[in-house]
Amino acid sequence: MHARQLNRRTTEAIVMALLSLTAVGALRFPVESRAMFVAEVLAIAVLFIVGLFRFPTSAALLASSIGVVVMPITLAFIARACGSPIAFEMTALTTFGTASLAMAIGSRRTQAMSLVASGFLTLFAVTISDDRYAVVLAMAWMAVCVWHLVANHWERLELCAVQQVRRGTGVRPMSVLAAITLCVISGWGVRDRFAESKRFASGFMPFSGGSHWSDPAARSGVGTGDAAIAAKDHAESFGAVESDLFLESTESTLFDMFSDSIGEPKKKNKWERRQAMTPDQVLEAHAKTAKSEKGGSSFSTDRVPPKKHLNLTDATEKAVIQWAGPTGTRLAMNRYDTFDGVNWTNTANHRQETLSHHVQGNADWFMDPTVAGSFGQSTTRVNQLKVLRLDSTRIPVPMTTTGVHVKEVDRPDFFAIDDDGSFFMPGREKVPPLTVVHVAYAKVMEDELWDGLSRGQPSKMVDLELEDHRLEDYAADWTAGCDHPYEKLRAIVEHLRSEFTFDRSVETEADRPIDDFLRSRRGGDHLFATAAALLARQIGLQSRLVTGFYVRPSAFDVSAGHTNVLPDDVHVWTEVRLDDGRWFEIEPTPGYRQPIYTPSVWLVAAQLTAAYWPHAIAWILAAGLLFATRLFWIELGLVVVYPIGAIVWPKKRTALAMRVLQTRARVAGCPRIAGRPQRDWLLAITATHQQLRDAARQFCDAADRAAFAGTSSSSFEHNASKELLMNLKIRVFRQLCKEESA
C-alpha cells in the first residue's frame, strides 16, 4: 500500500492538536511517574503514525483513531494497577487532546471540530499552568491557526476565480506577525492588573483534592466531601466542617498573631511596692490581664524580634478569615488614638450600643447611626467576610464601614460599635466560627480628601524629643513646598515608603522605638504606622493607629472567588480624620498596596490645568494656528506624497494623481459624487477654464490608454499628471466651485 499523502489542511490541524497535547503534557510531566508518562506518549505516537502512514485505508484509519482516543484511558487503568496512578482530570484532558488529534485526520468538518477542540484545550491548559512561559504554547497555536485560516481564504478565492488568483507572498507571514504582535501588546497591557494565581497546597487542579485515603491519585488539594467544599471553598457558604474541639484548639487572638508576626511586647522590670494577695485576688488579676490582652486595649511599639510559634501550622486550614472582595483591602479590628512614646491606647468614645435597622432587598442591615443616611448610595460597596477561627468579638471590616448583615439575623442587639469605632458582637466570647458577614462600606473619592482636610494647629499627644531632630523638624523637612494638608500627608507617606525599609526582625535598643526607627530608617509596619500618625498630627491632622489584617493580592483563590487571610497577614496602618468626622486610611509601609482614592473628572481636569496650564495655552495657540493654516499644510502634504508615491509605485502614478485631485476637491468643498465617472467629473469642473480643461483631457486620455489599451508611455503619463497637479490646487478648486455655483 502507498503511504498516505497529507495535504496542507490536515498537516496544520495535526500540528495544532499536537500543540494542545504538549500543553497538557507540560502539566503532567513534573508530577507523574516519568516511566508511565513516556510510555503513554510513545504508545499514542506509534499508534497514530502507524495508522496514518502504514495502513491508510478508511477502516484502518478509523481503528487507529479510536485506539488513539482510548489509549490514555487504558493506560490510566494500567498505571493505577501498577501503583503509579494518574489523576482522573489529567486523563480526561489527555483524552480530549487525542480526540482532537484523531479528528484532524478526518474530513473537513471533523478538522474544523479538531481546530476548536485543540484551541480550547490549549487555552485551558495554559490558563491553569503555573509556568510563566506556558503562554508561548498558546501564541504558537494561535500563529498556526492564523496561518491555517489565511490559507483557507485564498483557496476559496481560487475556487471562485475565472482564471487564477495571484497570491500575495507576504500576506500569510504578515497576518501571523500581526496576530502575535497583538497578543504581546494585549498581554503587556493587562500585565499586573490581575491578582496572582495561587498554587494549591500539594496539587495543581481543583479536582485533585483529598488524601491518599480517599484516592491514590489525590494530592491534598481542596479536600473532598460536599460539606468541606461548601464551608471552605466558598466564603459565602456555611458548613460545619470541623468539630468545636478542633476549632477551639487552633484559634488565636489578634494579640497572639501580632506576637508571632512582629514580636512580643517587651516586659518592663519595675520594682514596685508589694503586698500579700489571696489566691482569689491572684486569679482575678490574672483574668483582668488576659481580658485586657484579648480585647486589645493597648498596643506596644517596643517589641522583641518575632519568634514563630507555629500554633496554626498544623491545622488543616490555616486561614483565620476569608474575604470575598477586592484584594489589597485592610480589615480593621482595633483602633488607638493616644500615644505615650511607647504604647498606644484608646481614649475616644465612639460607642454605639444600638445600631440603625434598615431592610434592603429583604436583608436586615444594622447601620452606624452617624452615617446610616449614606447607605444604598452609588458609592456603597458590599462584600462578604467569613470568620473561620478568630478568638475575638471584633468583626474585621474595611474603613468607612456603614453597616453589617448576617443572614437570618434581625435582632439589633447582635451588633454594636465599640469605643474605638470598631464593629463587634456584644454578649459573646467571640464571633461564632463560620459566620458569614456581609459588609457595606462607602467608597471615598479623592475630591473629599482635598475638601475635607482643613489646616489646623499641630495636635501633640506627647512631646517627643528625638536624638537628632524634633518630630516637627521631620514634618517640616518632608512637607517643604507643600501647601494643602492632603498634599503634605502624601509627601509624608511617600518619604516613608521610599526612604525607609520594612523589616519586622529589627530589635530596638532605645527607650522609645520611634527614635531608633527614624534614625536607622528600618523597622516593622507598627513603627511605620506610628511615625505616619505622629507626623500627621504635626501638620494639624487628627490621626490614630489601626491594627487588623491585610488582604494579600497573592493569596486570592481564583477558583473559589475569595482570599484566605492567614495569621501572618496581621498588619498595622494609620487613619486620618476628615472634617465631617469620617476617617480614611493611609498606607506608609512599603510592600503594601496604597488605598485607591479615585478622583472625579472635574478634579483631574483641575489638577491637569493647574500643573500644565502654560503648556495647555501653548498647545491651544498651536492648534489654532494649525487650523488657520490647515489648507497650506494639506497642500504641502499632497505635494510631497505624489513624487514619493510615483517613485515607489511607478505603475500606479496615474491612480495616485487622481487620488490627490479628489482629495483636493473634497477639502475645497466640491467632492466627486459617488458613481460619477472620474473623467466626466474632472472635465465638468474644469469646463470654465480652457487651459485646465485641456490639461484634464490630456490626463484622462493618458489614463484611459494605460487602463484599457494596454499601451502607455511612462514619461507621457507622468508629464500629464504633473501638469494637472501643478495647476489644479485647492484654491483653484475653490474658485472653480464658486464659478460653477454662480
Side-chain angles (χ1 to χ4, degrees):
M1 292 185 179
H2 298 287
R4 177 188 175 99
Q5 297 294 326
L6 299 180
N7 56 31
R8 177 195 57 79
R9 286 175 175 268
T10 303
T11 303
E12 292 167 355
I14 291 174
V15 170
M16 286 185 279
L18 291 177
L19 284 173
S20 66
L21 284 171
T22 303
V24 176
L27 295 175
R28 296 180 52 182
F29 185 77
V31 295
E32 293 182 3
S33 169
R34 301 294 173 84
M36 293 302 303
F37 180 82
V38 173
E40 183 175 349
V41 171
L42 292 177
I44 294 174
V46 170
L47 189 60
F48 179 77
I49 294 174
V50 170
L52 184 62
F53 296 104
R54 187 65 177 173
F55 304 104
T57 61
S58 299
L61 197 60
L62 179 61
S64 173
S65 300
I66 295 175
V68 168
V69 174
V70 301
M71 182 60 68
I73 301 175
T74 304
L75 291 179
F77 283 104
I78 296 175
R80 191 170 289 265
C82 295
S84 301
I86 302 172
F88 289 124
E89 66 275 9
M90 289 292 100
T91 301
L93 291 177
T94 307
T95 304
F96 196 78
T98 54
S100 172
L101 185 62
M103 289 187 292
I105 58 178
S107 63
R108 288 196 173 186
R109 176 169 295 183
T110 59
Q111 286 176 354
M113 296 173 61
S114 172
L115 186 146
V116 175
S118 63
F120 170 82
L121 184 60
T122 302
L123 293 178
F124 180 81
V126 169
T127 301
I128 65 175
S129 175
D130 289 323
D131 190 349
R132 60 183 300 182
Y133 299 106
V135 69
V136 175
L137 289 173
M139 295 179 65
W141 184 93
M142 187 201 64
V144 178
C145 181
V146 172
W147 184 276
H148 176 75
L149 295 177
V150 172
N152 291 347
H153 169 74
W154 282 111
E155 285 185 1
R156 285 194 297 269
L157 285 182
E158 287 181 347
L159 292 176
C160 299
V162 177
Q163 293 181 349
Q164 183 181 5
V165 175
R166 180 181 298 175
R167 301 188 184 187
T169 56
V171 174
R172 294 174 74 182
M174 291 301 296
S175 300
V176 173
L177 181 61
I180 294 177
T181 303
L182 180 62
C183 278
V184 172
I185 294 175
S186 301
W188 184 267
V190 301
R191 184 173 60 97
D192 296 333
R193 294 181 180 271
F194 295 93
E196 300 175 10
S197 61
K198 177 178 180 293
R199 175 183 282 271
F200 287 92
S202 302
F204 56 92
M205 286 289 291
F207 306 106
S208 299
S211 64
H212 66 280
W213 299 107
S214 58
D215 186 83
R219 295 180 178 84
S220 301
V222 298
T224 56
D226 295 339
I229 293 176
K232 291 184 179 179
D233 200 39
H234 297 282
E236 69 275 8
S237 60
F238 180 90
V241 297
E242 311 289 357
S243 66
D244 292 338
L245 179 62
F246 177 78
L247 289 173
E248 186 69 27
S249 64
T250 59
E251 289 174 355
S252 290
T253 64
L254 192 64
F255 177 86
D256 297 330
M257 297 180 201
F258 271 109
S259 297
D260 288 344
S261 298
I262 65 177
E264 296 182 357
K266 291 182 179 179
K267 294 180 174 60
K268 303 295 183 180
N269 293 323
K270 295 183 179 180
W271 294 92
E272 301 176 348
R273 292 184 179 180
R274 302 176 180 176
Q275 66 178 16
M277 299 178 66
T278 65
D280 294 339
Q281 291 174 325
V282 172
L283 291 175
E284 181 182 357
H286 176 73
K288 289 182 178 179
T289 303
K291 183 178 180 180
S292 175
E293 290 183 352
K294 184 175 179 178
S297 61
S298 65
F299 184 86
S300 175
T301 59
D302 194 11
R303 295 174 176 265
V304 298
K307 296 179 180 179
K308 295 290 184 180
H309 297 298
L310 302 179
N311 58 329
L312 285 177
T313 302
D314 296 333
T316 303
E317 175 62 73
K318 295 187 293 183
V320 179
I321 57 177
Q322 290 176 339
W323 171 253
T327 58
T329 303
R330 279 151 284 270
L331 304 176
M333 288 191 65
N334 294 290
R335 295 176 169 92
Y336 311 93
D337 64 352
T338 304
F339 186 58
D340 63 2
V342 176
N343 298 313
W344 282 93
T345 55
N346 178 64
T347 58
N349 184 11
H350 302 293
R351 193 174 187 87
Q352 296 286 346
E353 295 284 356
T354 304
L355 303 185
S356 300
H357 184 197
H358 292 260
V359 178
Q360 185 81 10
N362 297 325
D364 295 283
W365 286 88
F366 299 94
M367 317 300 298
D368 182 353
T370 60
V371 293
S374 63
F375 180 66
Q377 297 181 358
S378 59
T379 57
T380 301
R381 294 181 176 179
V382 177
N383 293 115
Q384 295 171 338
L385 171 80
K386 175 186 280 188
V387 177
L388 296 180
R389 40 178 58 86
L390 181 62
D391 190 12
S392 174
T393 59
R394 299 292 182 98
I395 303 175
V397 293
M399 69 167 187
T400 63
T401 294
T402 56
V404 293
H405 156 68
V406 175
K407 188 176 181 180
E408 305 298 337
V409 174
D410 56 1
R411 291 174 49 183
D413 58 342
F414 266 62
F415 308 100
I417 296 177
D418 214 338
D419 292 336
D420 62 351
S422 301
F423 280 80
F424 76 108
M425 300 184 73
R428 297 176 178 271
E429 293 185 357
K430 60 185 178 183
V431 178
L434 302 180
T435 298
V436 178
V437 182
H438 299 254
V439 181
Y441 57 100
K443 179 182 178 182
V444 179
M445 302 292 291
E446 187 179 348
D447 307 54
E448 301 175 73
L449 305 185
W450 287 97
D451 299 335
L453 291 176
S454 61
R455 299 169 176 83
Q457 296 298 322
S459 173
K460 300 181 182 178
M461 302 304 296
V462 62
D463 187 14
L464 294 178
E465 289 284 353
L466 305 180
E467 295 181 4
D468 50 354
H469 284 290
R470 293 174 61 85
L471 195 62
E472 53 265 29
D473 294 337
Y474 281 95
D477 292 342
W478 292 357
T479 61
C482 301
D483 181 51
H484 194 277
Y486 181 55
E487 190 178 5
K488 294 180 179 180
L489 186 63
R490 291 198 303 184
I492 291 172
V493 172
E494 183 59 31
H495 272 81
L496 289 171
R497 292 180 65 90
S498 60
E499 299 179 6
F500 287 67
T501 302
F502 173 48
D503 185 2
R504 284 179 170 174
S505 63
V506 174
E507 183 175 7
T508 58
E509 300 294 340
D511 292 336
R512 286 189 291 262
I514 193 66
D515 293 348
D516 280 352
F517 174 72
L518 292 174
R519 183 178 60 254
S520 65
R521 296 176 178 260
R522 180 183 294 270
D525 46 349
H526 60 295
L527 295 176
F528 277 90
T530 299
L534 297 178
L535 290 168
R537 293 176 178 180
Q538 292 300 320
I539 60 175
L541 302 177
Q542 297 185 42
S543 61
R544 62 187 182 186
L545 192 83
V546 188
T547 62
F549 297 97
Y550 176 73
V551 183
R552 288 182 297 111
S554 59
F556 180 71
D557 192 333
V558 178
S559 61
H562 66 247
T563 305
N564 291 315
V565 180
L566 307 180
D568 289 341
D569 294 326
V570 291
H571 184 43
V572 188
W573 63 97
T574 309
E575 287 184 344
V576 178
R577 188 179 184 273
L578 293 170
D579 293 342
D580 59 6
R582 292 180 300 161
W583 295 80
F584 71 96
E585 61 191 16
I586 58 175
E587 182 53 81
T589 307
Y592 292 87
R593 282 187 183 178
Q594 296 195 62
I596 299 175
Y597 301 112
T598 306
S600 65
V601 177
W602 298 109
L603 179 60
V604 172
Q607 291 175 339
L608 292 177
T609 302
Y612 301 104
W613 67 266
H615 304 79
I617 293 177
W619 278 106
I620 292 174
L621 293 176
L625 180 62
L626 186 63
F627 179 78
T629 59
R630 64 188 183 281
L631 297 181
F632 169 78
W633 297 108
I634 294 174
E635 188 66 71
L636 179 62
L638 294 174
V639 169
V640 173
V641 164
Y642 175 73
I644 296 177
I647 296 174
V648 178
W649 300 288
K651 295 182 179 180
K652 298 181 179 181
R653 65 178 64 182
T654 304
L656 181 60
M658 179 57 73
R659 286 182 176 272
V660 171
L661 291 173
Q662 292 185 82
T663 302
R664 287 175 174 173
R666 190 181 305 110
V667 174
C670 50
R672 180 176 68 89
I673 300 175
R676 187 176 185 182
Q678 295 171 333
R679 182 187 184 93
D680 295 347
W681 166 74
L682 195 56
L683 293 178
I685 202 170
T686 58
T688 56
H689 287 261
Q690 186 62 36
Q691 183 180 357
L692 290 176
R693 185 177 178 83
D694 293 341
R697 182 179 289 107
Q698 187 178 11
F699 170 77
C700 293
D701 291 342
D704 290 343
R705 283 195 297 271
F708 300 107
T711 59
S712 63
S713 174
S714 299
S715 60
F716 179 75
E717 292 178 20
H718 180 62
N719 292 334
S721 302
K722 187 175 181 181
E723 180 182 358
L724 187 60
L725 291 174
M726 289 179 60
N727 295 323
L728 207 53
K729 304 283 188 178
I730 295 178
R731 57 181 179 81
V732 177
F733 268 111
R734 282 192 166 184
Q735 182 180 355
L736 294 175
C737 289
K738 291 180 181 179
E739 293 177 357
E740 186 179 9
S741 60

